[in-house]
Structures are given as C-alpha cells and as structure tokens.
Amino acid sequence: MNNDLLEVKARIEELRKAIEYHNYRYYVLDDPEITDPEYDNLLQELIGLENRFPELDHLSSPTKKIGGEPVSAFSSKVHSIPMYSLDNGFSMGELEAFLKRIKKQMPGKDMDFWVEPKLDGLAVEVIYEHGNFIGACTRGDGITGEDVTANIRTIKNLPLVLLQNHNHPEYLEVRGEVVIPTKDFENLNALKIEKNEKPFANPRNAAAGSVRQLNPRITASRPLYFFAYGIGLVRYGRHDQWKSQKDISEGLKSLGIASVPQGKVCKGFEDIAGFFDKHMQQRKESPFEIDGLVVKVNELEVQDSLGFTSRAPRWAIALKFPAIQARTRLKSIQVQVGRTGVLTPVAFLEPVNVGGVIVSRATLHNENEIKAKDLLIGDKVLVQRAGDVIPEIVRPLKEYRTGSEKEFVFPEKCPSCHTQVNKLKGEVAWRCTNISCPARLEQGLIHFVSRKGLDIEGLGKKWAQIFVKKGLVEKISDIFSLSKGDLLALERMGEKSAENLLDSISLSVKNVTLPRLIFALGIRHVGEQTAKSLSEKYIDLDALAMADEEELKLINDIGPEVASSIVVFFKNPDNLQLLNDLKHKGVWPVMETGSTAHDFLKGRKFVFTGGLENLTRDQAKELVEKNGGRVIGSISRNVDFVVAGENPGSKLEKARQMGLRIINEKEFADLMAG
Ligand code: IVH
C-alpha cells in the first residue's frame, strides 16, 4: 500500500470509529454530542471515500446500514444454544407461586430478581466475532431460525463494531427483541393505506414483517430498534465479569448494544409487585408496545442450578399486563364484501379512547361470532386492544340492556349486488358468488392494480371505485380497453391526467411480470411470495391453470389448502374468461425457460465440509446455484446434501448423527452433471 492509500485508510478508520461512537451516543445513550448536519458530514465523507477506494470498503462499515441487494429466500440457521420461550403469569397469585417454587428448589438461598419490560416484537439473535457484527437470525422454532443478517445489519441502534474493541468476548451471541415504536408504526400504516396496501395489524407484526423482508433496503427504511435481554453462546465461557442479569444488561450496554430499558433489581414479591403497578400505570407513555414485565433470577449461577423445562427457563416468568379495555356502545353492524366474496360483519362503535387509540370500529369476523357473543345492536359493550391494535368486542354488558336493543340479522343477499349469499361446505363465512358483483369487482380491481400487482400509477382506490360505479369497468380486463373519451367524461379528470393514466396502463401491460400477474389475480391464499414460487415453476398462466393439486404441493411452501385454492380458481369459467381476455389484451408475461430448465435442484440445500480436489468452494457453490439449489453454512435437519471433501470438520459427524445424506466429491460432480 502506498503512502496516499495508507493515509486514506487511516482517515476511513477514523471516520468509522467516530460514526460508531456518535451512533452509540445517539441511539444507545440518547445523548448526542454533535448536531445532525455534523453527523451527516462525517457520513458523507466516509461514503465518498469508500466509493473512490472500493478496496477499502468493508461490510462492517456504518455506511452499510442502508441495506444490500434483495434475496429470494432466507436460509435457515441452527442456534448454538436453543432459544427458549417464557412461561406466562397473568396475576400476582402466579408471581407468588413462581417465587415459592424456586425458593423451594433452592432452599435457604437469598435471591435477587432482575425485572424489566417485556417488549412486544420479534426475537432475534445477533452474533459478533472479534467485535464485528457477523450474523443474525430469528428465533424461529427455538432450535432453527432464519438467517436475517442483511436485514439486521440495517438497524440503526445496533453497532456493526463493538465499543471497547480490546475488551469484548471473542465470540458473542446477543439475544433480544426487534421492535418498532408505536408512533412510527402508525405513520407506516397511514402510508400503507394511502398506497392501497394492507396495513400491519400491530407493531409486532410491523417489526416482524420488516425483519422478514426479502429486500434489505425496505428493512433499512423502517424505524427498527434492537434491545438486548440476554446472551447465547459466549466463547470461551461466559464473559468473565458477567455474574448476573444486571451485569449482562450493563455489560452489553458498555459494548455499545442497547439493552431493554428500565431494568431493575428487585428483592422479592412486594418490590416486584410495586414495579409492576408502576409500569402498568405508565404503559401508555412508553414509546414501544410493552405487554408485561419479565422477572428473572438475577444471579447466573442460580439460573444454571434451576435450569430449563422443555419449553422455558425455570428461573424466569413473563408477568402479562391485562388487556386495555373500555366501554362504549355498538351503534350498528355493517357487512362488507371482500374481493373473494366473503361477507365480513364490522361493528360500528361510538368512538372511545382505548389506551390512547380512538376506536370506532371492531372486527366481528363472521356471523357465528356475533351469535356466540350474544351481541345486540344498541348494546353497551366492552372493547379491548390486547397487544394487538385491531380492537375487538369482548362481550356485551347485558346489565345495561333496556329492551330497545335489536338482534342483528345476517343478510341473505349480498348488500352490494343482492345475489343470494351461500356458505361453502365446512366454512363459517357467507359469500357472494356473483363474480360481477360490483363490491367484489371493486375490491378485485383495487387489488389487481395495486403496487404489488400490475402497479398502475395513478390508479388508486378512488378511481377504481369510480370506474366500477360508472360502469366503465364491468370486468377486470376492461381497464385495458379504456379510451381517452371514457376518462374525460368523468368528473375531475382532466386531459393531462387522462393521458397519464392511459400511459400508466400501457406501461403496466409492457412491464408486468408473471409473479406480479399471478399475485394480481387475487387467488385465495396466494400472496406475493407464493406467486413468486409459482412463477419459478410455470412458464405462463396457461401452464399454471393446468397444474393439479399433487403437482402444486411439491412446490416449497405450498400446502394442501393453497394448492386446492389455486385449482379451484382455475376451474372457474369466469376466471378462465379473464385469462383469455388478458391474453388478447397482451397482458401475458412468459417466464424465460432458461430459469426453469436448470432448476432440478430447486429448493435443495447443500452444506460443504472439508476441501474439494477439483473445485474451489466458490465454484462448487456456483454450480449448485446454477441448478437452483442453495449452499448454507450449518447443518440442520433441512439440509438435503452434505458434501464431504478432504479433512472434513465436525459438520460431518453432526450430519451422520442426524442421518443426513452425505456424498463425496465424485458423487457431487455426477449430481451436478444432472
Ligand atoms: S428473556 C430464555 N426478556 O418474550 C428466554 N424475553 O414470550 C429468555 N421478550 O422469546 C427470554 N422482552 O422474544 C426476555 N425483556 C425480555 C423480553 C423477552 C420480550 C420475548 C422474547 C421471548 C418471548 C417469550
């Protein structure tokens, strides 16, 4: 390296250290030392240098928080130590029983407890090696999670390099919760609604959806936070000074990792109960959803003696807050028709404040629920928001009935098109079966043109409703026949808007891909991901329409219910007519055959251990991927092939124990040859 480059390298290192430090001040200590423009200057200088000197760029650089390339799926990863769940307690009586139980197991032992908020998000494990962030995975089933490294890297309050570089464990697994602040969740949903997308049901779903997102740039745009509550494997042994939960919480913080805030050492029942009450009073003020407190034996040695049941530690309990409830009146019940024709009753309530959120509607799911809850229109009702943000009616307060309340009669006819409704065998929902029902058509059209579907710019919910109402669209494919004259006849549609809209429609015909079109059709249970999987197998809609259930079930992630729904969709003559119309209008994307011809290893997972004689690891990986397979790093039950080369490592033994299929280099070469 010449002197100039050495100088640049030193400056880059200086900038990275400074930015990591200011991130820590801002995100962990909540006490910034510099202004936002000053911070931006440092970041811009670093971005500039890394662009000019790509050889000095690094994945641990704080500039990597903007998110890398999208992936098509997550690989799975086995936790080095299982991630257990927690037993729940719903009353002070259960707390008392918990304390009694552990005292009995450890007689004469004086115990402290570490008590901290239970954050309602997604459990994630984050891994550091030599102080650098190297990976992250979700809790999954506790044994195996999904590798979400690229997404977790984008979380702003999580350091990519630990502070105190010389004094951290060589290998450190940190466990914690990824959450989204309630305020940001509300803004995110408002934006989604504006774009005609389905809003998240609650902050937990928003956090989980953002982490399990295949495009890390989208994750980067979401205001996610990671808060640590524990550790997994730490090499070698536990970090020397960490003897208690309190030490872990403070120790992680000193390394730059935010721990769950407001933890406290409590002495016994009274102390914990007081802390619980205090938090319950304050829960509305918390910037994050908290669904209770977690009480943990503080001393790690005592935790070790108490151990685990098959599901949860014996040394901890989650004390849940009661759901937030309020009373109001049920004004009316209205039935809404979705795009699949399902009739959903919705309760309209006198607006009421439930834990800081004004609630004026609640879902009632179906007719049976109204009957089971014995709800009458005009009833005074108890409404609740439990962790979830979608409110529900708990029960009617029958003691307030005056006799003027009225029974709700489920309509026998669709409220939109007046066709007789019917119930499918084994289902509780009533459906409108009229494919041209305006309400269904309207919802179907909104879905068809939505961002994940045909993505027709300028054609949102409002225009979709008008087109249906004015009879310009009587079936979905009619949007491709709209003329300028049709549009100009509509109120508030000017010359320019009409032209733009027609351009967007033509553009969508040209640009639509097969997965988008499959999604747009609105087949029950077929979301974006399933549509993608289907388009990897079938070259066009004709091919998909001919698939039978058995064949569909062979595709990853497609179960019997989804397979049956796809077959039912393509049996329906109206849907076949839609396919025909789309073909005639040129809305007919065809998948390139190249991607299907070589995918005989589709979905198969490979693990390599030991050296190969004739190939490098990268070449072997390339071969697997070219044939549709995937190479992953660790052994688990989902691995299909373990390729054992020279001097294989411990993975081979593990694979043998699990009874996995082990092949040598020659067998691997034969397999790749097809
Ligand atoms: S301690 C051995 N502490 O709750 C398990 N968990 O319902 C130790 N959670 O899977 C977990 N906040 O994802 C712990 N302060 C906290 C927590 C917390 C949220 C989650 C965690 C766990 C789930 C169990």
Side-chain angles (χ1 to χ4, degrees):
M1 222 183 259
N2 66 30
N3 274 349
D4 284 354
L5 204 56
L6 275 174
E7 220 168 273
V8 175
K9 186 166 181 268
R11 179 63 185 153
I12 284 183
E13 273 162 17
E14 188 178 24
L15 284 166
R16 283 180 188 159
K17 268 221 173 80
I19 293 168
E20 284 287 351
Y21 173 74
H22 291 301
N23 280 345
Y24 171 69
R25 302 281 328 181
Y26 187 91
Y27 289 109
V28 182
L29 301 185
D30 199 11
D31 183 20
E33 266 176 12
I34 57 172
T35 62
D36 287 358
E38 281 168 333
Y39 176 87
D40 284 340
N41 283 341
L42 296 176
L43 197 63
Q44 286 313 321
E45 185 184 345
L46 180 57
I47 292 173
L49 288 177
E50 285 175 349
N51 281 343
R52 274 181 49 213
F53 300 93
E55 66 273 34
L56 297 178
D57 203 354
H58 197 272
L59 265 181
S60 286
S61 168
T63 55
K64 297 301 163 285
K65 289 200 173 283
I66 56 162
E69 291 302 309
V71 292
S72 56
F74 298 116
S75 53
S76 49
K77 194 168 180 311
V78 180
H79 300 293
S80 15
I81 300 175
M83 285 181 82
Y84 285 84
S85 186
L86 285 171
D87 282 334
N88 289 323
F90 294 93
S91 67
M92 286 302 120
E94 289 186 68
L95 168 64
E96 214 169 359
F98 163 75
L99 296 177
K100 237 190 210 150
R101 200 170 55 239
I102 51 174
K103 289 249 156 76
K104 200 168 150 199
Q105 275 175 278
M106 306 285 295
K109 180 87 196 163
D110 207 15
M111 270 185 243
D112 281 345
F113 298 90
W114 179 253
V115 188
E116 64 188 10
K118 181 168 190 295
L119 299 176
D120 199 11
L122 180 76
V124 167
E125 177 168 84
V126 182
I127 307 170
Y128 291 88
E129 202 161 31
H130 304 295
N132 288 317
F133 168 87
I134 57 152
C137 63
T138 60
R139 173 176 181 273
D141 61 7
I143 305 289
T144 310
E146 284 176 317
D147 185 334
V148 285
T149 306
N151 290 346
I152 297 298
R153 179 179 285 122
T154 69
I155 296 183
K156 307 291 178 297
N157 80 331
L158 188 77
L160 297 179
V161 178
L162 295 178
L163 294 176
Q164 297 188 3
N165 253 327
H166 43 284
N167 188 25
H168 47 64
E170 191 183 300
Y171 177 89
L172 170 67
E173 292 176 353
V174 183
R175 291 166 174 192
E177 203 81 351
V178 174
V179 289
I180 199 163
T182 324
K183 260 258 128 1
D184 290 304
F185 155 75
E186 281 159 14
N187 293 341
L188 183 63
N189 263 359
L191 216 72
K192 280 197 155 256
I193 290 165
E194 211 171 275
K195 289 194 204 153
N196 254 329
E197 291 172 20
K198 193 166 162 230
F200 290 115
N202 51 48
R204 183 188 54 238
N205 284 0
S210 304
V211 170
R212 300 189 61 257
Q213 167 51 255
L214 294 171
N215 184 349
R217 299 245 157 91
I218 297 183
T219 311
S221 73
R222 303 270 165 87
L224 298 175
Y225 290 77
F226 175 87
F227 291 106
Y229 53 67
I231 49 177
L233 185 69
V234 184
R235 258 196 325 243
Y236 298 89
R238 274 204 179 108
H239 196 230
D240 296 346
Q241 304 113 33
W242 296 349
K243 307 263 185 253
S244 65
Q245 279 295 147
K246 181 172 191 272
D247 291 346
I248 292 179
S249 170
E250 288 171 357
L252 290 174
K253 211 163 165 183
S254 75
L255 294 175
I257 300 171
S259 308
V260 171
Q262 295 183 301
K264 183 188 159 204
V265 175
C266 288
K267 289 283 170 209
F269 181 81
E270 293 300 325
D271 214 4
I272 301 172
F275 196 53
F276 184 81
D277 280 346
K278 188 178 137 219
H279 270 280
M280 209 158 62
Q281 307 300 334
Q282 295 174 350
R283 66 192 286 205
K284 276 184 219 151
E285 280 113 64
S286 166
F288 302 99
E289 283 269 325
I290 292 174
D291 55 353
L293 294 184
V294 183
V295 179
K296 306 172 193 178
V297 168
N298 192 26
E299 219 181 306
L300 302 186
E301 238 179 59
V302 183
Q303 287 186 359
D304 289 345
S305 318
L306 286 166
F308 293 82
T309 65
S310 63
R311 201 190 89 88
R314 289 201 184 86
W315 42 264
I317 187 169
L319 282 183
K320 294 298 213 52
F321 291 146
I324 308 176
Q325 298 183 330
R327 293 160 173 226
T328 186
R329 193 165 300 281
L330 173 61
K331 289 197 303 186
S332 65
I333 296 177
Q334 287 176 26
V335 172
Q336 296 182 343
V337 190
R339 75 184 140 82
T340 54
V342 170
L343 270 58
T344 307
V346 178
F348 283 74
L349 307 162
E350 258 165 32
V352 62
N353 187 329
V354 190
V357 174
I358 304 292
V359 170
S360 54
R361 286 172 186 217
T363 164
L364 289 169
H365 304 293
N366 54 52
E367 185 188 20
N368 287 8
E369 181 165 324
I370 303 175
K371 285 198 177 132
K373 287 191 171 157
D374 188 16
L375 283 172
L376 297 181
I377 294 166
D379 261 340
K380 194 157 189 187
V381 292
L382 195 63
V383 189
Q384 85 174 15
R385 276 197 323 123
D388 280 5
V389 172
I390 294 185
E392 58 169 359
I393 294 183
V394 184
R395 60 185 165 88
L397 301 165
K398 292 186 189 169
E399 57 277 27
Y400 290 97
R401 280 189 180 157
T402 60
S404 63
E405 296 77 15
K406 290 199 176 61
E407 197 182 329
F408 171 71
V409 186
F410 209 88
E412 286 173 11
K413 294 190 168 155
C414 166
S416 172
C417 69
H418 312 294
T419 305
Q420 187 79 23
V421 297
N422 83 6
K423 236 179 226 189
L424 296 182
K425 216 170 74 199
E427 284 199 356
V428 285
W430 287 102
R431 285 167 188 276
C432 166
T433 47
N434 172 14
I435 183 97
S436 348
C437 165
R440 290 187 60 177
L441 180 61
E442 190 183 296
Q443 295 298 320
L445 183 60
I446 292 171
H447 180 82
F448 191 78
V449 302
S450 67
R451 207 172 52 90
K452 288 183 187 164
L454 276 265
D455 192 19
I456 303 183
E457 211 186 313
L459 209 171
K461 196 169 168 179
K462 193 185 84 187
W463 285 117
Q465 282 169 339
I466 294 175
F467 292 165
V468 174
K469 198 160 156 215
K470 297 281 176 193
L472 287 180
V473 171
E474 289 178 343
K475 52 186 193 316
I476 282 178
S477 55
D478 288 348
I479 50 158
F480 301 110
S481 317
L482 291 173
S483 69
K484 196 166 161 188
D486 290 336
L487 296 180
L488 286 176
L490 300 171
E491 254 175 65
R492 284 201 297 274
M493 175 70 85
E495 183 102 7
K496 190 76 203 143
S497 320
E499 278 169 14
N500 286 345
L501 190 51
L502 290 175
D503 284 348
S504 308
I505 294 174
S506 317
L507 201 67
S508 78
V509 175
K510 213 171 77 196
N511 288 347
V512 68
T513 57
L514 187 57
R516 278 175 174 281
L517 186 59
I518 296 175
F519 172 83
L521 292 176
I523 307 169
R524 260 182 106 204
H525 306 305
V526 176
E528 199 184 7
Q529 199 45 51
T530 310
K532 219 178 248 168
S533 309
L534 289 169
S535 65
E536 282 163 9
K537 180 93 204 262
Y538 298 99
I539 107 167
D540 64 8
L541 287 183
D542 279 340
L544 176 59
M546 295 204 320
D548 64 24
E549 275 181 46
E550 290 314 308
E551 184 183 329
L552 288 164
K553 279 193 292 194
L554 292 177
I555 300 176
N556 237 356
D557 305 331
I558 293 190
E561 204 181 353
V562 185
S564 142
S565 155
I566 295 169
V567 170
V568 167
F569 182 91
F570 287 107
K571 265 196 194 142
N572 179 317
D574 297 307
N575 293 334
L576 293 177
Q577 183 59 47
L578 170 64
L579 255 51
N580 209 19
D581 293 345
L582 290 173
K583 199 185 256 176
H584 279 103
K585 306 278 179 195
V587 190
W588 200 256
V590 176
M591 218 52 183
E592 281 171 27
T593 43
S595 60
T596 49
H598 301 292
D599 68 350
F600 68 97
L601 291 177
K602 178 111 207 57
R604 302 269 180 246
K605 296 195 185 92
F606 285 73
V607 169
F608 286 90
T609 176
L612 301 176
E613 208 175 311
N614 298 314
L615 292 168
T616 66
R617 274 281 171 94
D618 280 346
Q619 286 167 333
K621 182 164 182 257
E622 208 173 294
L623 273 175
V624 171
E625 286 171 355
K626 219 166 84 188
N627 290 315
R630 250 194 307 155
V631 175
I632 58 174
S634 51
I635 297 286
S636 76
R637 297 205 181 276
N638 327 334
V639 171
D640 298 284
F641 294 97
V642 177
V643 186
E646 286 282 304
N647 300 321
S650 60
K651 286 179 194 167
L652 182 61
E653 190 42 46
K654 208 164 161 191
R656 278 207 185 107
Q657 281 168 10
M658 286 191 180
L660 301 178
R661 184 151 167 203
I662 300 164
I663 56 175
N664 61 24
E665 184 170 351
K666 162 88 175 52
E667 288 164 322
F668 174 71
D670 290 346
L671 184 65
M672 291 304 118

